[in-house]
Amino acid sequence: MSFTKTSLLEHDLSGKAAIVTGASRGIGAAVARAFSDAGARVVLVGRSKETLEEVASELANDPVLVVSDIGDPTAPQAILDQAKAAVGHIDVLVNNAGGGEAAGPAHTLKPEDADALWALNLRAPILLGGLVAADMAASGGGSIVSISSGLSQQGMPGVSLYSAVKGGLEAATRSLATEWGAAAVRFNVVSPGVTRTRLGSWISSNDAALHKYLEKVPLNRIGEPEDVAAAVLFLSSPQSAYITGQVIPVDGGWTTSSPLLA
């Protein structure tokens, strides 16, 4: 592969089709905009048709809407079927949908909330990733990027289950990368720190919590959805063709900071 100055700076996805789950806001919406700007046709997946339509109104290349609760066991196959019916071959999948209500000390967690969190954050991306990988393998390959969290690496009270499923997603990604590498299907993870989204608002909107957090962030700011989207775009582009099975932190250095030395 030869590079020119222009090719190193551009991530061209013209003629490509990408599925983005959790695309109705925050990081997912930012990824969808980045992909559209790079020339891709984007399949937006989310639970609310209205919010997906708002995102779609900002995109070029005739975006497709798939209304689905990805935590449903039947959702992964249905999402792939609807996406393929609309755009044909899938070149990129971004497993962004996540979150959940199972937070607090482990002894207070409700089993039903724990099951829902695991289904959304771990089962769904593994199943959808596997299905899409098999489809990509039959057509020459592709890229699958999942969104994890710095909490998979940094301990914090009250998030044991969330940390566990995000850590599990990173472990699964390494296994899937070895499983599908020979078919030119790449699996990687982007691991954000606190980002200016609804999920990150418990820190970003609390001055005391934000100050304490930023003491551990060398770049001294929280992330923007566009910071994460830029990393996802890179991992989805030909410029990352020799990268697979990796976890890329996008956290301003948070997970490199030692609280013992602060």
Side-chain angles (χ1 to χ4, degrees):
M1 180 183 294
S2 61
F3 291 104
T4 65
K5 183 177 180 180
T6 300
S7 70
L8 285 170
L9 295 175
E10 293 182 352
H11 302 306
D12 185 9
L13 296 182
S14 297
K16 305 294 186 181
I19 299 173
V20 181
T21 70
S24 60
R25 58 176 174 246
I27 291 170
V31 169
R33 289 190 292 267
F35 280 5
S36 179
D37 289 347
R41 189 178 183 194
V42 184
V43 179
L44 305 168
V45 181
R47 289 179 291 183
S48 168
K49 182 180 179 182
E50 290 71 24
T51 53
L52 290 177
E53 287 175 339
E54 291 176 12
V55 176
S57 69
E58 305 173 11
L59 307 184
N61 311 315
D62 191 21
V64 176
L65 308 186
V66 175
V67 179
S68 177
D69 178 358
I70 199 167
D72 187 298
T74 64
Q77 185 66 62
I79 290 168
L80 177 58
D81 290 345
Q82 291 181 61
K84 283 179 60 64
V87 303
H89 173 60
I90 307 301
D91 301 283
V92 179
L93 166 66
V94 180
N95 284 313
N96 170 70
E101 303 300 325
H107 68 282
T108 69
L109 298 177
K110 297 178 181 179
E112 58 269 27
D113 290 339
D115 288 346
L117 188 139
W118 126 264
L120 173 62
N121 291 275
L122 188 54
R123 184 183 69 192
I126 291 175
L127 295 182
L128 181 57
L131 290 168
V132 173
D135 185 72
M136 288 176 170
S139 304
S143 175
I144 296 176
V145 183
S146 295
I147 306 300
S148 178
S149 168
L151 290 172
S152 67
Q153 303 171 52
Q154 295 275 50
M156 190 175 76
V159 293
S160 58
L161 186 60
Y162 183 77
S163 297
V165 295
K166 290 302 188 181
L169 181 58
E170 293 175 7
T173 294
R174 288 186 284 270
S175 292
L176 289 163
T178 64
E179 191 171 309
W180 291 101
V185 180
R186 299 183 296 111
F187 280 81
N188 290 289
V189 169
V190 171
S191 176
V194 173
T195 306
R196 201 181 306 277
T197 63
R198 183 180 62 89
L199 192 62
S201 63
W202 68 278
I203 285 183
S204 63
S205 62
N206 182 315
D207 289 343
L210 179 61
H211 177 75
K212 186 174 182 180
Y213 172 75
L214 291 180
E215 288 180 343
K216 310 294 187 228
V217 180
L219 292 184
N220 197 40
R221 69 173 176 88
I222 65 171
E224 301 294 337
E226 290 74 20
D227 293 319
V228 183
V232 174
L233 178 60
F234 167 68
L235 291 171
S236 304
S237 74
Q239 276 70 30
S240 64
Y242 200 52
I243 300 174
T244 195
Q246 302 304 305
V247 177
I248 309 298
V250 180
D251 61 7
W254 175 48
T255 49
T256 69
S257 177
S258 173
L260 295 177
L261 301 179

PDB file of all heavy atoms in Angstrom, residues 20-26 28-29 44-48 50-55 96:
ATOM      1  N   VAL A  20     -24.963   1.888  12.318  1.00  0.00           N
ATOM      2  CA  VAL A  20     -24.595   2.510  13.594  1.00  0.00           C
ATOM      3  C   VAL A  20     -25.747   2.296  14.564  1.00  0.00           C
ATOM      4  O   VAL A  20     -26.862   2.800  14.345  1.00  0.00           O
ATOM      5  CB  VAL A  20     -24.320   4.017  13.449  1.00  0.00           C
ATOM      6  CG1 VAL A  20     -23.917   4.618  14.801  1.00  0.00           C
ATOM      7  CG2 VAL A  20     -23.229   4.270  12.411  1.00  0.00           C
ATOM      8  N   THR A  21     -25.515   1.538  15.636  1.00  0.00           N
ATOM      9  CA  THR A  21     -26.564   1.352  16.638  1.00  0.00           C
ATOM     10  C   THR A  21     -26.481   2.466  17.675  1.00  0.00           C
ATOM     11  O   THR A  21     -25.439   3.096  17.858  1.00  0.00           O
ATOM     12  CB  THR A  21     -26.443  -0.010  17.338  1.00  0.00           C
ATOM     13  OG1 THR A  21     -25.285  -0.033  18.188  1.00  0.00           O
ATOM     14  CG2 THR A  21     -26.351  -1.144  16.323  1.00  0.00           C
ATOM     15  N   GLY A  22     -27.598   2.719  18.334  1.00  0.00           N
ATOM     16  CA  GLY A  22     -27.642   3.828  19.284  1.00  0.00           C
ATOM     17  C   GLY A  22     -27.364   5.150  18.602  1.00  0.00           C
ATOM     18  O   GLY A  22     -26.662   6.015  19.131  1.00  0.00           O
ATOM     19  N   ALA A  23     -27.940   5.320  17.403  1.00  0.00           N
ATOM     20  CA  ALA A  23     -27.582   6.444  16.533  1.00  0.00           C
ATOM     21  C   ALA A  23     -28.413   7.690  16.752  1.00  0.00           C
ATOM     22  O   ALA A  23     -28.233   8.679  16.039  1.00  0.00           O
ATOM     23  CB  ALA A  23     -27.702   6.011  15.076  1.00  0.00           C
ATOM     24  N   SER A  24     -29.307   7.683  17.723  1.00  0.00           N
ATOM     25  CA  SER A  24     -30.247   8.788  17.841  1.00  0.00           C
ATOM     26  C   SER A  24     -29.700  10.002  18.586  1.00  0.00           C
ATOM     27  O   SER A  24     -30.299  11.071  18.549  1.00  0.00           O
ATOM     28  CB  SER A  24     -31.539   8.310  18.518  1.00  0.00           C
ATOM     29  OG  SER A  24     -31.250   7.809  19.815  1.00  0.00           O
ATOM     30  N   ARG A  25     -28.549   9.844  19.256  1.00  0.00           N
ATOM     31  CA  ARG A  25     -27.994  10.987  19.986  1.00  0.00           C
ATOM     32  C   ARG A  25     -26.550  10.695  20.363  1.00  0.00           C
ATOM     33  O   ARG A  25     -26.028   9.597  20.136  1.00  0.00           O
ATOM     34  CB  ARG A  25     -28.804  11.266  21.258  1.00  0.00           C
ATOM     35  CG  ARG A  25     -28.883  10.094  22.209  1.00  0.00           C
ATOM     36  CD  ARG A  25     -29.608  10.472  23.486  1.00  0.00           C
ATOM     37  NE  ARG A  25     -29.792   9.292  24.325  1.00  0.00           N
ATOM     38  CZ  ARG A  25     -30.961   8.750  24.623  1.00  0.00           C
ATOM     39  NH1 ARG A  25     -32.066   9.287  24.145  1.00  0.00           N
ATOM     40  NH2 ARG A  25     -31.042   7.687  25.393  1.00  0.00           N
ATOM     41  N   GLY A  26     -25.903  11.694  20.944  1.00  0.00           N
ATOM     42  CA  GLY A  26     -24.584  11.522  21.527  1.00  0.00           C
ATOM     43  C   GLY A  26     -23.544  10.984  20.572  1.00  0.00           C
ATOM     44  O   GLY A  26     -23.401  11.441  19.430  1.00  0.00           O
ATOM     45  N   GLY A  28     -23.337   8.084  19.035  1.00  0.00           N
ATOM     46  CA  GLY A  28     -23.881   7.437  17.845  1.00  0.00           C
ATOM     47  C   GLY A  28     -24.247   8.433  16.756  1.00  0.00           C
ATOM     48  O   GLY A  28     -23.942   8.214  15.572  1.00  0.00           O
ATOM     49  N   ALA A  29     -24.879   9.537  17.135  1.00  0.00           N
ATOM     50  CA  ALA A  29     -25.232  10.560  16.156  1.00  0.00           C
ATOM     51  C   ALA A  29     -23.984  11.205  15.570  1.00  0.00           C
ATOM     52  O   ALA A  29     -23.920  11.498  14.369  1.00  0.00           O
ATOM     53  CB  ALA A  29     -26.126  11.618  16.803  1.00  0.00           C
ATOM     54  N   LEU A  44     -29.171   3.933  10.402  1.00  0.00           N
ATOM     55  CA  LEU A  44     -29.324   4.425  11.768  1.00  0.00           C
ATOM     56  C   LEU A  44     -30.243   3.494  12.544  1.00  0.00           C
ATOM     57  O   LEU A  44     -31.390   3.268  12.152  1.00  0.00           O
ATOM     58  CB  LEU A  44     -29.925   5.834  11.767  1.00  0.00           C
ATOM     59  CG  LEU A  44     -29.197   6.896  10.946  1.00  0.00           C
ATOM     60  CD1 LEU A  44     -30.066   8.135  10.799  1.00  0.00           C
ATOM     61  CD2 LEU A  44     -27.863   7.248  11.578  1.00  0.00           C
ATOM     62  N   VAL A  45     -29.742   2.967  13.662  1.00  0.00           N
ATOM     63  CA  VAL A  45     -30.528   2.040  14.478  1.00  0.00           C
ATOM     64  C   VAL A  45     -30.779   2.671  15.839  1.00  0.00           C
ATOM     65  O   VAL A  45     -29.854   3.163  16.495  1.00  0.00           O
ATOM     66  CB  VAL A  45     -29.797   0.696  14.667  1.00  0.00           C
ATOM     67  CG1 VAL A  45     -30.640  -0.261  15.512  1.00  0.00           C
ATOM     68  CG2 VAL A  45     -29.460   0.073  13.315  1.00  0.00           C
ATOM     69  N   GLY A  46     -32.037   2.662  16.265  1.00  0.00           N
ATOM     70  CA  GLY A  46     -32.391   3.191  17.574  1.00  0.00           C
ATOM     71  C   GLY A  46     -33.825   2.860  17.914  1.00  0.00           C
ATOM     72  O   GLY A  46     -34.556   2.289  17.089  1.00  0.00           O
ATOM     73  N   ARG A  47     -34.223   3.212  19.129  1.00  0.00           N
ATOM     74  CA  ARG A  47     -35.556   2.846  19.594  1.00  0.00           C
ATOM     75  C   ARG A  47     -36.618   3.866  19.223  1.00  0.00           C
ATOM     76  O   ARG A  47     -37.815   3.546  19.253  1.00  0.00           O
ATOM     77  CB  ARG A  47     -35.535   2.649  21.112  1.00  0.00           C
ATOM     78  CG  ARG A  47     -34.798   1.402  21.542  1.00  0.00           C
ATOM     79  CD  ARG A  47     -34.775   1.242  23.039  1.00  0.00           C
ATOM     80  NE  ARG A  47     -33.949   2.258  23.689  1.00  0.00           N
ATOM     81  CZ  ARG A  47     -33.709   2.327  24.983  1.00  0.00           C
ATOM     82  NH1 ARG A  47     -34.254   1.437  25.798  1.00  0.00           N
ATOM     83  NH2 ARG A  47     -32.935   3.258  25.483  1.00  0.00           N
ATOM     84  N   SER A  48     -36.232   5.098  18.901  1.00  0.00           N
ATOM     85  CA  SER A  48     -37.201   6.160  18.634  1.00  0.00           C
ATOM     86  C   SER A  48     -37.121   6.615  17.190  1.00  0.00           C
ATOM     87  O   SER A  48     -36.081   7.133  16.748  1.00  0.00           O
ATOM     88  CB  SER A  48     -36.937   7.354  19.560  1.00  0.00           C
ATOM     89  OG  SER A  48     -37.666   8.493  19.140  1.00  0.00           O
ATOM     90  N   GLU A  50     -38.649   9.109  15.884  1.00  0.00           N
ATOM     91  CA  GLU A  50     -38.591  10.575  15.819  1.00  0.00           C
ATOM     92  C   GLU A  50     -37.154  11.082  15.963  1.00  0.00           C
ATOM     93  O   GLU A  50     -36.711  11.949  15.191  1.00  0.00           O
ATOM     94  CB  GLU A  50     -39.478  11.192  16.906  1.00  0.00           C
ATOM     95  CG  GLU A  50     -40.977  11.021  16.689  1.00  0.00           C
ATOM     96  CD  GLU A  50     -41.451   9.588  16.902  1.00  0.00           C
ATOM     97  OE1 GLU A  50     -40.771   8.831  17.639  1.00  0.00           O
ATOM     98  OE2 GLU A  50     -42.500   9.217  16.326  1.00  0.00           O
ATOM     99  N   THR A  51     -36.420  10.558  16.938  1.00  0.00           N
ATOM    100  CA  THR A  51     -35.046  11.038  17.119  1.00  0.00           C
ATOM    101  C   THR A  51     -34.137  10.565  15.988  1.00  0.00           C
ATOM    102  O   THR A  51     -33.220  11.289  15.576  1.00  0.00           O
ATOM    103  CB  THR A  51     -34.478  10.588  18.474  1.00  0.00           C
ATOM    104  OG1 THR A  51     -34.626   9.167  18.610  1.00  0.00           O
ATOM    105  CG2 THR A  51     -35.202  11.278  19.617  1.00  0.00           C
ATOM    106  N   LEU A  52     -34.378   9.377  15.464  1.00  0.00           N
ATOM    107  CA  LEU A  52     -33.609   8.925  14.301  1.00  0.00           C
ATOM    108  C   LEU A  52     -33.873   9.821  13.095  1.00  0.00           C
ATOM    109  O   LEU A  52     -32.948  10.136  12.323  1.00  0.00           O
ATOM    110  CB  LEU A  52     -33.954   7.477  13.949  1.00  0.00           C
ATOM    111  CG  LEU A  52     -33.478   6.400  14.924  1.00  0.00           C
ATOM    112  CD1 LEU A  52     -33.970   5.025  14.449  1.00  0.00           C
ATOM    113  CD2 LEU A  52     -31.963   6.387  15.057  1.00  0.00           C
ATOM    114  N   GLU A  53     -35.094  10.246  12.929  1.00  0.00           N
ATOM    115  CA  GLU A  53     -35.423  11.143  11.815  1.00  0.00           C
ATOM    116  C   GLU A  53     -34.707  12.475  11.955  1.00  0.00           C
ATOM    117  O   GLU A  53     -34.284  13.069  10.944  1.00  0.00           O
ATOM    118  CB  GLU A  53     -36.937  11.352  11.739  1.00  0.00           C
ATOM    119  CG  GLU A  53     -37.694  10.144  11.211  1.00  0.00           C
ATOM    120  CD  GLU A  53     -39.200  10.318  11.259  1.00  0.00           C
ATOM    121  OE1 GLU A  53     -39.680  11.172  12.042  1.00  0.00           O
ATOM    122  OE2 GLU A  53     -39.888   9.603  10.520  1.00  0.00           O
ATOM    123  N   GLU A  54     -34.555  12.957  13.186  1.00  0.00           N
ATOM    124  CA  GLU A  54     -33.823  14.203  13.400  1.00  0.00           C
ATOM    125  C   GLU A  54     -32.371  14.076  12.963  1.00  0.00           C
ATOM    126  O   GLU A  54     -31.817  14.967  12.313  1.00  0.00           O
ATOM    127  CB  GLU A  54     -33.891  14.609  14.875  1.00  0.00           C
ATOM    128  CG  GLU A  54     -35.276  15.043  15.347  1.00  0.00           C
ATOM    129  CD  GLU A  54     -35.301  15.341  16.836  1.00  0.00           C
ATOM    130  OE1 GLU A  54     -34.210  15.438  17.445  1.00  0.00           O
ATOM    131  OE2 GLU A  54     -36.402  15.474  17.389  1.00  0.00           O
ATOM    132  N   VAL A  55     -31.744  12.966  13.333  1.00  0.00           N
ATOM    133  CA  VAL A  55     -30.361  12.739  12.914  1.00  0.00           C
ATOM    134  C   VAL A  55     -30.284  12.576  11.397  1.00  0.00           C
ATOM    135  O   VAL A  55     -29.410  13.154  10.734  1.00  0.00           O
ATOM    136  CB  VAL A  55     -29.774  11.504  13.616  1.00  0.00           C
ATOM    137  CG1 VAL A  55     -28.369  11.205  13.099  1.00  0.00           C
ATOM    138  CG2 VAL A  55     -29.751  11.711  15.126  1.00  0.00           C
ATOM    139  N   ASN A  96     -22.646   0.828  19.095  1.00  0.00           N
ATOM    140  CA  ASN A  96     -22.594   1.956  20.020  1.00  0.00           C
ATOM    141  C   ASN A  96     -23.678   1.904  21.090  1.00  0.00           C
ATOM    142  O   ASN A  96     -23.488   2.437  22.179  1.00  0.00           O
ATOM    143  CB  ASN A  96     -22.711   3.271  19.240  1.00  0.00           C
ATOM    144  CG  ASN A  96     -22.904   4.456  20.166  1.00  0.00           C
ATOM    145  OD1 ASN A  96     -22.005   4.848  20.895  1.00  0.00           O
ATOM    146  ND2 ASN A  96     -24.111   5.023  20.163  1.00  0.00           N
TER     147      ASN A  96
END
